[in-house]
Amino acid sequence: MRLIVNGKAHTYHGSPLKRLSDVLRDDLGLIGTKVGCNAGDCGACTVMLEGRQVCACLTPVAQAAGRPVATVEGLEAHGTLSRLQRSFLKHGAAQCGICTPGMLMAATDLLAEKAKPSEQEVMDAIGGVLCRCTGYRKIVEAVLDAARTIPVPDLPVAGAAVGARSTKVDGLAKVAGRERYGADYIPADALWVRVIRSPHARATFTLGDFAPIVQKYGLTRVFTAGDVPRNGYGIYPDIKDQPVLADGLVRYKGEAVVALVGPRESVEAVRPGELPIHYEAEAPIVGVIAAAASDARLVQADKPGNLLIEGGVKKGDVAKGFAEAAALAEGLFQTSFVEHAYIEPEAGWAVRVGERIEIHATTQTPYMDRDEIAGVMQLPPDRIRVVPTACGGGFGGKLDLSVQPLIALAAWTLGKPVACVYTRPESMAASTKRHPARITAKFACDAQGRLTAVETWADFDTGAYASWGPTVANRVPVHATGPYRVPHVKNWGRALFTNAPPAGAFRGFGVPQAAIAHETLMDDLALKLGIDRLEMRRINAIRAGDLTATNQKLAHSAGLPQCLDALKPHWDALGAEAERFNARRKNLRRGIGIGCMWYGIGNTSMSNPSRMRVGLRADGRVMLYNGAVDIGQGSNTILTQIAADALGLPMALFDYVMGDTDRTADAGKTSASRQTFISGKATELAARDLRSQILRLANAGMDASLTLHGTILTVADTGTTHQIDLAQLPRLNRDADVLLGEGVFDPPTTMLDEDGQGVPYATYGFAAQIALVEVDTDLGTVKVKKIIAAHDVGKAINPTQVEGQIQGGIAQGLGLALMEEYLPGRTENLHDYLIPTVGDVPEIDCILIEDAEPLGPYGAKGVGEPGLVPTAPAILGAIRHATGVRITEVPVLPHRLHAALQHMPMAAE
């Protein structure tokens, strides 16, 4: 059939029922059209068909025959970006970028009909496209601004990069649809892996003869547990408890049992019911109460009591603190599993190159992947190369291995390229989740509102395998007091095994769950004493010079008081607005709430180094060898800004390579809000090292200026100039560097003692957020009307990207509070599992507080996790203010709130 795509005619030979998205990607090579669900739920595959947006994954190619199709690749005219694409660049509307093509096409549909749409019209137009990163606000701004003629913004000049609203250095590829993700550019001759997963949460199983299945479907190989050299992996050096393929026992629904390998059409044709896998289902352990019961069966035979880990923080005498208190508040708080729901499912491909394996996959941690794959394969790490693709969202979920060990094993064994792309249900069944928590907490204060004692006990459901459970259980006790001064503390946490999907890292490592408890109790105390809720937090806000629960003295950069001061006028105004509204309405009630947070930047109480390199090449370009994976948070750009100013050359001269384990040094994982602070400092040191080498070569002083034209580097110093022809210098490596600077930074921390005392983090991020909500007391529904967020970021290296991180975190916090509840086996798609859409996210105002951190690059700290942590507590406090209902379980689904309201008949009066 004849297809017309982006104005060009193509002839397609194949099934008329093939998805248009697959034809565009596989047959025409237009990988700008992304596939996130194949069910019409995410909208990433949105294209234009005869001028109207459609989901290409739901459109049979026959429907497009002879009709004009437009994809993101067609938005450029003669190499020039459209106004809309330029506006996306200007506003930072693309973070990870996986939803960006769909957003651009949906907005193009709108702008073709209405050049200057209203905000509501923009929201309606893009409402079918999901974004998990941005919080949508930057996207809406970009579409509203697209009517203007916007040039592609220039990159900042030398010395002006830090603090500038620079466009992303990888932004052009994202808005043009040229960014390469895990499922893109898979070799044409690649075999495919299809993982067969357990339908049971707990079962034993036996395997029969697969030879008839191999012959019937033309498979190349079936891999089982016995084919894996070391059938166990995990995050921690001493915990390798998760098998690559289960060996006779499955511990959660979705666990990998066997891997089929062969041509794509062959592996996809196999019906699971035909496979010789025979299960004997057993009763699963569900929830931490069942796991901790004295008669509970063990999830892992060598883990008594189903206990993974426990630990805590003890300071002072909590009994004395409670005895001296004027007011007490306590409660039991519960949270659910939460799905990462990144729009890009896990994907990648591997190829054997001689006696080495190369893995190209979506990941947050290439060096950890390399070392784990080496262990599974029983090969030296230097025989494994990991090349991260662009990462279409991570949020912690892509810190664990997914496709990597199986594609490596198959490619090594078969000698051919091997690919694996998870389906959306497979991703949601098999990937890690946010830990469900059951937290008992007790707070006490004196008559003036000053906290005297805090005691918490937190149980976390870590699922069938350890994953990041120890990190969550150790981080929470440090943070469970909230960002407040408390003389007497006893916080304890433990992680327990159950027959649920492994719970791993998810933006906050347990701190968001703890914040719900401590902020509710702060509201309790304020109400008991008649103290304004914001003032209650200001009275107790930890400041520079104060001691934390671990007896760490905060020497500097503790900006919570400044955050609260910035919010105070908004708090008063929104409170008055809610009062006026409530005086006029009965079934609709408005309320305001406030949530505060602190977050330790980086790993807890352990070495956390990053090593970065900056090279000056013979061709006159500067190369940033960046081992830090950008998962949408913008580290490629942030680190380039830092490097540019530290070196003294403009950003336009920089190129970068990201995460390639053959070409970069280990910068550590992209998690714990660490890359700006830690890799940013290492980058600053590397650029300064390179600058020093240049100045020594030119015999120039420290204040000399650098300019670079072609291969000629000019060093100007006190009226004299020295020119260096880089093309004439000897090359240092295969990248043609002639000079190479290196920087290493490892934040100063100490191990915590048996009472949890010590220095777990070198610095902390602080924030306070206000939420204004509207509750329909008849329906039990909640609409968040506005969020005002004040964040101490140390220094905003790029304010646009900092705002984007805060807004995206707020959207995820809103989901945690109001709608997101993962139920294993029931919510394994994006129409049963709800994440916020553009219509759910309110107006968001960001206030950036810059309380400089001397250890950080130009004073910067991290902001990736902090944006999410205070949002749910602020929303819960606002619901309480509006209705009188004290929320202790999230998400606050309508049926739960409606039931609670029925027990408070006067709440809406």
Side-chain angles (χ1 to χ4, degrees):
M1 67 183 67
R2 183 170 180 268
L3 299 177
I4 305 168
V5 182
N6 299 327
K8 296 180 180 179
H10 302 268
T11 301
Y12 165 71
H13 301 280
S15 169
L17 299 181
K18 189 172 182 178
R19 300 174 192 267
L20 177 59
S21 54
D22 290 340
V23 172
L24 292 172
R25 291 176 55 80
D26 301 339
D27 296 87
L28 304 186
L30 297 172
I31 56 90
T33 300
K34 304 303 180 187
V35 176
C37 67
N38 263 338
D41 295 322
C42 74
C45 66
T46 299
V47 299
M48 302 273 281
L49 179 60
E50 280 193 324
R52 300 310 304 265
Q53 60 172 303
V54 298
C55 283
C57 76
L58 296 182
T59 305
V61 65
Q63 290 187 6
R67 302 166 67 191
V69 176
T71 73
V72 67
E73 289 92 344
L75 295 183
E76 286 186 83
H78 308 294
T80 301
L81 295 179
S82 69
R83 289 180 177 180
L84 181 61
Q85 288 170 306
R86 296 197 296 272
S87 191
F88 265 55
L89 282 178
K90 172 189 171 185
H91 288 277
Q95 286 191 20
C96 83
I98 195 73
C99 76
T100 301
M103 287 289 184
L104 286 166
M105 300 315 296
T108 297
D109 182 7
L110 169 68
L111 295 174
E113 299 228 345
K114 196 157 194 176
K116 294 184 178 181
S118 68
E119 181 171 317
Q120 187 59 53
E121 287 170 329
V122 172
M123 294 169 66
D124 291 343
I126 67 172
V129 186
L130 294 178
C131 176
R132 194 58 161 164
C133 294
T134 66
Y136 300 101
R137 301 311 304 171
K138 297 289 187 187
I139 296 171
V140 173
E141 291 171 10
V143 179
L144 289 171
D145 201 27
R148 298 193 306 113
T149 301
I150 301 170
V152 177
D154 292 329
L155 294 172
V157 298
V162 170
R165 292 182 178 271
S166 172
T167 57
K168 282 178 173 277
V169 296
D170 51 5
L172 177 59
K174 294 180 190 297
V175 302
R178 294 195 288 268
E179 190 75 282
R180 298 188 177 201
Y181 297 86
D184 298 334
Y185 295 103
I186 292 171
D189 62 341
L191 299 172
W192 283 69
V193 171
R194 178 182 174 192
V195 183
I196 303 301
R197 300 185 178 278
S198 170
H200 304 288
R202 182 180 182 128
T204 58
F205 68 90
T206 57
L207 301 177
D209 182 9
F210 281 90
I213 295 294
V214 170
Q215 183 174 9
K216 176 180 178 179
Y217 288 99
L219 303 181
T220 305
R221 175 79 180 263
V222 176
F223 287 89
T224 66
D227 297 312
V228 186
R230 190 196 77 188
N231 194 24
Y233 66 91
I235 301 303
Y236 300 90
D238 57 335
I239 306 177
K240 305 298 177 190
D241 64 342
Q242 186 162 0
V244 176
L245 294 169
D247 191 2
L249 173 66
V250 290
R251 297 183 174 91
Y252 73 97
K253 182 183 181 298
E255 182 160 9
V257 176
V258 299
L260 313 180
V261 182
R264 185 176 183 179
E265 60 275 11
S266 298
V267 298
E268 290 180 349
V270 176
R271 291 176 292 180
E274 297 180 272
L275 297 172
I277 308 173
H278 308 287
Y279 296 96
E280 291 290 335
E282 301 175 353
I285 298 296
V286 179
V288 294
I289 294 176
S294 59
D295 60 346
R297 295 185 65 184
L298 299 183
V299 176
Q300 296 192 24
D302 61 342
K303 297 297 189 297
N306 287 316
L307 179 66
L308 168 61
I309 193 172
E310 65 177 317
V313 172
K314 299 177 184 177
K315 172 186 172 183
D317 182 345
V318 292
K320 179 175 182 290
F322 288 129
E324 295 175 349
L328 297 174
E330 56 190 320
L332 169 64
F333 303 88
Q334 298 182 84
T335 69
S336 304
F337 282 112
V338 182
E339 161 67 20
H340 294 89
Y342 25 72
I343 305 303
E344 179 206 25
E346 294 80 351
W349 57 278
V351 61
R352 182 168 180 169
V353 182
E355 293 304 302
R356 302 185 77 214
I357 285 285
E358 289 188 3
I359 296 98
H360 300 252
T362 179
T363 180
Q364 295 179 233
T365 175
Y367 279 86
M368 289 178 67
D369 285 1
R370 181 199 65 180
D371 294 346
E372 279 308 296
I373 294 165
V376 166
M377 298 292 297
Q378 293 292 278
L379 293 171
D382 63 4
R383 288 171 64 181
I384 310 294
R385 180 185 185 186
V386 175
V387 185
T389 64
C391 186
F395 320 113
K398 291 175 181 173
L399 289 169
D400 293 76
L401 291 180
S402 58
V403 303
Q404 296 93 323
L406 285 174
I407 58 176
L409 174 64
W412 177 265
T413 304
L414 301 174
K416 292 185 177 181
V418 177
C420 184
V421 178
Y422 282 5
T423 65
R424 174 57 59 183
E426 181 179 20
S427 173
M428 295 182 76
S431 63
T432 60
K433 309 288 177 265
R434 184 182 295 284
H435 284 76
R438 182 180 173 87
I439 301 173
T440 302
K442 183 178 178 181
F443 273 47
C445 68
D446 63 19
Q448 287 72 46
R450 295 187 295 263
L451 292 173
T452 59
V454 166
E455 185 172 18
T456 64
W457 181 279
D459 280 341
F460 291 94
D461 184 340
T462 204
Y465 299 107
S467 184
W468 291 89
T471 298
V472 171
N474 287 333
R475 182 177 278 267
V476 168
V478 175
H479 290 81
T481 59
Y484 308 118
R485 296 185 306 277
V486 189
H488 306 290
V489 177
K490 184 179 180 182
N491 296 331
W492 213 254
R494 61 180 181 171
L496 296 158
F497 290 107
T498 67
N499 291 119
F506 190 162
R507 206 169 194 169
F509 286 105
V511 177
Q513 296 94 304
I516 289 169
H518 66 63
E519 291 304 281
T520 301
L521 296 182
M522 289 294 284
D523 281 353
D524 287 347
L525 293 175
L527 291 169
K528 286 187 176 186
L529 294 175
I531 298 174
D532 177 80
R533 288 171 288 159
L534 185 148
E535 182 59 24
M536 181 71 182
R537 288 157 171 87
R538 202 182 190 294
I539 289 169
N540 291 284
I542 201 163
R543 292 165 166 79
D546 288 339
L547 296 176
T548 70
T550 70
N551 264 321
Q552 176 183 358
K553 184 176 182 179
L554 295 184
H556 34 65
S557 193
L560 182 58
Q562 296 97 301
C563 292
L564 292 167
D565 288 346
L567 290 181
K568 182 63 164 65
H570 303 280
W571 176 254
D572 293 340
L574 289 177
E577 177 185 326
E579 286 185 16
R580 290 191 298 271
F581 182 89
N582 293 339
R584 303 191 306 270
R585 307 298 289 267
K586 249 190 147 176
N587 69 308
L588 294 180
R589 307 288 294 177
R590 287 190 177 180
I592 59 169
I594 185 168
C596 293
M597 63 75 63
W598 66 329
Y599 194 81
I601 305 299
N603 295 346
T604 306
S605 295
M606 63 177 63
S607 180
N608 191 18
S610 175
R611 184 182 299 271
M612 302 291 286
R613 296 175 180 137
V614 181
L616 187 58
R617 300 194 328 189
D619 63 358
R621 301 290 295 174
V622 185
M623 178 66 79
L624 173 62
Y625 296 98
N626 170 20
V629 175
D630 190 327
I631 62 172
Q633 86 282 22
S635 57
N636 286 337
T637 304
I638 295 293
L639 299 180
T640 302
Q641 288 179 261
I642 291 168
D645 277 8
L647 179 58
L649 286 172
M651 287 179 67
L653 293 174
F654 278 73
D655 300 311
Y656 68 92
V657 56
M658 182 195 78
D660 185 334
T661 57
D662 271 14
R663 299 181 65 196
T664 69
D666 189 356
K669 62 191 184 299
T670 296
S671 69
S673 303
R674 62 180 294 281
Q675 292 295 13
T676 294
F677 175 54
I678 299 174
S679 291
K681 189 63 179 181
T683 299
E684 179 187 358
L685 295 173
R688 292 192 186 283
D689 179 31
L690 176 58
R691 179 178 172 84
S692 294
Q693 293 179 41
I694 293 170
L695 297 181
R696 284 196 300 271
L697 195 62
N699 195 26
M702 295 298 295
D703 294 331
S705 64
L706 308 181
T707 54
L708 185 54
H709 297 286
T711 65
I712 304 302
L713 175 64
T714 301
V715 183
D717 181 31
T718 60
T720 64
T721 60
H722 186 88
Q723 290 191 331
I724 303 169
D725 187 351
L726 302 178
Q728 301 304 311
L729 298 181
R731 275 67 163 169
L732 301 176
N733 50 39
R734 69 176 188 179
D735 289 299
D737 293 312
V738 294
L739 294 171
L740 187 65
E742 183 171 87
V744 180
F745 181 60
D746 191 358
T749 61
T750 66
M751 292 294 294
L752 301 184
D753 65 20
E754 61 183 9
D755 289 331
Q757 302 299 285
V759 180
Y761 312 102
T763 192
Y764 297 79
F766 293 87
Q769 293 180 5
I770 299 170
L772 172 68
V773 307
E774 184 174 291
V775 180
D776 186 321
T777 56
D778 290 339
L779 300 177
T781 56
V782 179
K783 177 68 175 177
V784 182
K785 306 294 290 184
K786 188 167 188 174
I787 299 276
I788 303 177
H791 281 254
D792 167 24
V793 300
K795 170 67 178 180
I797 302 294
N798 187 319
T800 298
Q801 292 192 181
V802 171
E803 292 163 356
Q805 284 293 286
I806 294 169
Q807 292 169 353
I810 286 169
Q812 290 188 350
L814 184 152
L816 170 66
L818 298 180
M819 64 182 68
E820 296 191 44
E821 183 174 32
Y822 176 82
L823 303 172
R826 292 173 55 189
T827 56
E828 293 171 354
N829 54 65
L830 291 174
H831 55 265
D832 291 321
Y833 185 86
L834 302 180
I835 68 173
T837 69
V838 66
D840 296 307
V841 177
E843 175 186 352
I844 300 172
D845 291 342
C846 295
I847 302 171
L848 304 185
I849 304 298
E850 296 184 312
D851 189 355
E853 168 54 61
L855 289 173
Y858 298 95
K861 301 189 284 192
V863 75
E865 267 109 335
L868 180 149
V869 177
T871 306
I875 292 171
L876 301 188
I879 294 171
R880 184 179 187 178
H881 182 235
T883 66
V885 174
R886 180 179 185 264
I887 306 294
T888 59
E889 181 181 3
V890 295
V892 190
L893 299 174
H895 72 278
R896 290 177 180 156
L897 181 55
H898 187 268
L901 286 166
Q902 301 316 298
H903 291 92
M904 296 188 64
M906 302 301 294
E909 297 297 325

